[in-house]
Amino acid sequence: MLSNIRIVLVQTFHPGNIGATARAMKTMGLTELVLVNPRAFPDEEATRLAAGATDVLENARCVGSLEEAVIDCVQIVGASARLRSLPLPHYDEPDEMAQHVIENAAHAPVALVFGRERSGLTNDEIRCCTHQVSIPANPEYGILNLSQAVQILAYEAHRAWRKRDSSDFAYQRPLEATPPSREQFIYFQEHLGRLMQQSGFLTQPHARTEEQLQALFARAQPSRKELSLLRGLLSAFETHLPKQ
């Protein structure tokens, strides 16, 4: 689905913006970049600012017109900070756009089109689109760098995709956050109970202290590493207890 989302840059002036765009795309799982008459490409500045996303640059296509870039797309969304009089459907919010883009990308290519750094898309280029989208920003200073605009729309597309049940997206978790198994938790509880008995902390056979502490650790949901640290602490205490 994400492979069907195409980023199209029209007459990009600064090659560094092409590299930064490739980086923004790769972080959101987008791979298809099409350049319409870029001023300079390939370029060392583009490669430098791609910062590890050079595969996106290497696979980028250069074409002579916007029409050629989007001819096979079923939806073409032009990003524009200026509202125009053209009667195109307009998305006020990028997340609304992303929902429709993802739905269409499930079956066919779609394109997100970005214009020149200073002047954006022309009226003729907007006419080549099926929709427009704007990024809500500070009305007194709503200027976004080209790659920043790409990053925002790419993020919204990725967000809409990963919310779908079919995406199978796995959120990253640090290895230290892996929860302990039931068996490991039982061993910890037994170790804690044994130490409380040996230390004389539990003096009443029917006290609920042990249950309450077990409930406390259950609510705390310690990770596997944290539980291992606690068991190490218990073992250290155990070495200082009188031998029975």
Side-chain angles (χ1 to χ4, degrees), residues 118-139:
R118 291 189 177 182
S119 57
L121 298 169
T122 66
N123 283 340
D124 285 341
E125 288 161 350
I126 288 292
R127 289 190 186 94
C128 196
C129 300
T130 60
H131 297 78
Q132 276 186 275
V133 65
S134 297
I135 298 173
N138 180 359

Side-chain angles (χ1 to χ4, degrees), residues 5 24 27 75 78 93 99 107 112 151 162 175 177 220 236 242:
I5 300 177
T27 60
Q75 184 180 20
E93 292 289 346
Q99 292 289 343
H107 309 288
L112 304 181
Q151 185 74 81
R162 68 178 182 264
L175 293 177

Side-chain angles (χ1 to χ4, degrees), residues 184-192 217 227 230-231 234:
Q184 290 170 323
F185 203 76
I186 289 174
Y187 284 155
F188 168 72
Q189 290 175 332
E190 291 175 347
H191 194 172
L192 178 63
F217 286 112
L227 200 67
L230 288 171
R231 289 209 64 186
L234 295 181

Side-chain angles (χ1 to χ4, degrees), residues 159-174:
R159 180 173 181 268
W161 165 77
R162 68 178 182 264
K163 294 297 183 182
R164 294 170 68 97
D165 293 336
S166 59
S167 74
D168 293 326
F169 181 78
Y171 288 89
Q172 291 184 336
R173 295 286 188 271

Side-chain angles (χ1 to χ4, degrees), residues 15-16 39-48 57:
R39 183 182 68 86
F41 186 81
D43 188 270
E44 291 182 0
E45 184 71 359
T47 302
R48 184 178 71 84
L57 291 183

